[in-house]
Amino acid sequence: QVQLVESGGGLVQAGGSLRLSCAASGTIFRIGAMGWYRQGPGKQREWVATINNGGTTNYADSVKGRFTISRDNAKNTVYLEMNSVKSEDTATYYCNAWIAYTDRPPSTHWGQGTQVTVSS
């Protein structure tokens, strides 16, 4: 059974920084694209950033220039470096990953979420 476990959330002041991590564990053949999404209070879940297994990154306009997504393929881990955070970044952050197996079709998995709260 594959699990994605996020960590690093917490309370941060506006203008500050925070680093989120998400580690995948279990019987994994290969991990493709990994990404971060977020869901703010009363809002729908929205895409934040994606990185493929070659290192190509894409960002939502709302975080471009402030957030950086990266990954460590040896550790099956994706990171989100959040800088110059704003109150509107307050949300539960979820990671996801496209995972291939040797004995079943590939599938996308989600973490349980980590809360980020930005205080003004």
Side-chain angles (χ1 to χ4, degrees):
Q1 185 74 10
V2 171
Q3 279 192 317
L4 297 182
V5 179
E6 297 108 335
S7 59
L11 178 64
V12 59
Q13 284 192 330
S17 299
L18 208 60
R19 189 193 196 206
L20 307 182
S21 300
C22 172
S25 62
T27 304
I28 298 169
F29 174 64
R30 183 171 61 89
I31 300 179
M34 304 181 82
W36 289 94
Y37 289 70
R38 67 185 181 186
Q39 187 167 12
K43 299 180 180 180
Q44 290 188 332
R45 189 174 298 190
E46 63 175 358
W47 169 70
V48 175
T50 303
I51 183 168
N52 68 16
N53 53 7
T56 300
T57 59
N58 285 284
Y59 298 92
D61 288 342
S62 58
V63 306
K64 202 172 292 184
R66 299 188 299 121
F67 291 8
T68 301
I69 188 171
S70 61
R71 64 192 286 170
D72 184 333
N73 291 331
K75 296 180 179 179
N76 290 340
T77 299
V78 63
Y79 306 96
L80 186 69
E81 186 76 34
M82 306 168 62
N83 296 315
S84 303
V85 296
K86 306 174 182 179
S87 57
E88 51 262 45
D89 295 322
T90 294
T92 301
Y93 284 72
Y94 300 88
C95 69
N96 80 343
W98 182 93
I99 296 176
Y101 306 93
T102 58
D103 60 349
R104 75 197 80 166
S107 56
T108 298
H109 293 262
W110 291 87
Q112 81 289 351
T114 186
Q115 178 66 36
V116 172
T117 303
V118 181
S119 63
S120 55

